Amino acid sequence: MSSGFFYTEEQTPNLRYSCKINKTLHTETTPFQELAMIDTVQWGRMLVLDNMVMTTIKDEFVYHEMISHVALNTHPNPKKVMIIGGGDGGAIREAVKHEKVEKAVLCEIDGRVIETSKEYLPEIASALFGHPKVEVLVADGVKHIEENEGEYDVIMVDSTEPVGPAEGLFAADFYKAVYRALKPDGIMVAQTESPFVNAELISRVFKDIKGIFPITKLYLASIPTYPSGLWSFTIASKVYDPEAVDVSTIPERDTKYYTPALHKAVFSLPKFVQDLLK
Ligand code: AAT
């Protein structure tokens, strides 16, 4: 995992990403994956799972704000929210900023991600320390979604890459189960990887989700520590169109990346990304 003083991620057989390490804080093999917490010079503390960067102190705000606020500001009354994966707590921290969210449930398969995030990334995991709106389940998200019908207003799929425990979270059957787990006007959003590195996955997932939900859209954000730095999210909705939101009505919240103007802008896609969705 480290070469000299650098952490190096082999992102594809042809692509490596390196960053200088101050200190390796913790490593362990959990029942699900290899987990590491590294203190890096450029990005601060970093959570690495199976040798892939999951989040860092310096750029986590982009991913966590963008996976949550677009859907939560599209739904007029997102009372009950589910986060699948997301054991670092970043997405649920953003979700509970919404006044209308009464309950946010985190379903993370690996309890060690939750515990080590609380220990080493408390700024990200802040909502996991007994927040009154938050419930934490250590369970497989696929199973939880299959067992809960018509429960949620918003479901966020904050998952690892489609290998190992997260493989099922990118399957068409899973998106069908997400549709059923949502209320009649529910919204789902999923992290869907990089249009440069994972173009085929984006096309396949978009097609699958489009076949299930009446409204399916893709948006982008710039995440420097993920492969290629350009990241996609796929949002799917039963009733409300995320692009049709009157953004002038969105209340000011404590964010660093998301703004109401950006809520609209992120749906304007580069041509090569539009082509992936045809
Ligand atoms: N918040 C950004 C961090 C992540 S981690 C995604 C989490 O999904 C991991 O903690 C992993 O244990 C969990 N996970 C994987 N499979 C399942 C499952 N079947 N059910 C529940 N949780 C699961 C996301 C990073 C995104 C992209 C990184 N390049």
Side-chain angles (χ1 to χ4, degrees), residues 33 54 64 85 88 107-109 113 140-141 158-161 165-166:
Q33 51 214 342
M54 292 297 123
H64 294 129
D88 53 64
C107 182
E108 161 65 56
I109 202 166
V113 175
D140 183 352
D158 179 4
S159 73
T160 35
E161 338 304 313

Side-chain angles (χ1 to χ4, degrees), residues 9 32-33 47 49 52-55 60 63-64 67 83-91 107-111 113-114 124 137 139-143 157-161 163-169 191 193 225-227 231:
E9 173 179 332
F32 298 95
Q33 51 214 342
L47 167 64
L49 294 176
M52 288 175 277
V53 178
M54 292 297 123
T55 198
E60 59 90 7
Y63 180 92
H64 294 129
I67 201 170
I83 291 111
I84 296 170
D88 53 64
C107 182
E108 161 65 56
I109 202 166
D110 191 342
V113 175
I114 298 172
I124 300 177
L137 307 172
D140 183 352
V142 176
K143 200 155 172 279
V157 189
D158 179 4
S159 73
T160 35
E161 338 304 313
V163 283
E167 211 179 320
L169 301 176
Q191 77 86 359
E193 309 280 312
T225 58
Y226 289 174
W231 212 247

Side-chain angles (χ1 to χ4, degrees), residues 161-237:
E161 338 304 313
V163 283
E167 211 179 320
L169 301 176
F170 290 83
D173 279 349
F174 171 68
Y175 302 128
K176 284 181 195 154
V178 169
Y179 184 94
R180 290 192 299 270
L182 286 167
K183 290 185 184 155
D185 61 349
I187 302 178
M188 81 151 241
V189 59
Q191 77 86 359
T192 44
E193 309 280 312
S194 159
F196 285 109
V197 181
N198 315 92
E200 280 172 21
L201 176 113
I202 290 178
S203 295
R204 200 263 301 155
V205 162
F206 193 83
K207 198 162 154 252
D208 284 348
I209 297 178
K210 207 176 165 190
I212 300 164
F213 284 81
I215 301 165
T216 304
K217 301 210 165 163
L218 186 121
Y219 61 91
L220 297 174
S222 170
I223 304 181
T225 58
Y226 289 174
S228 89
L230 187 67
W231 212 247
S232 77
F233 298 87
T234 303
I235 186 165
S237 180

Side-chain angles (χ1 to χ4, degrees), residues 103-122:
K103 187 160 193 190
V105 186
L106 183 87
C107 182
E108 161 65 56
I109 202 166
D110 191 342
R112 292 302 299 151
V113 175
I114 298 172
E115 293 315 316
T116 49
S117 298
K118 284 166 82 172
E119 188 172 350
Y120 295 101
L121 309 170

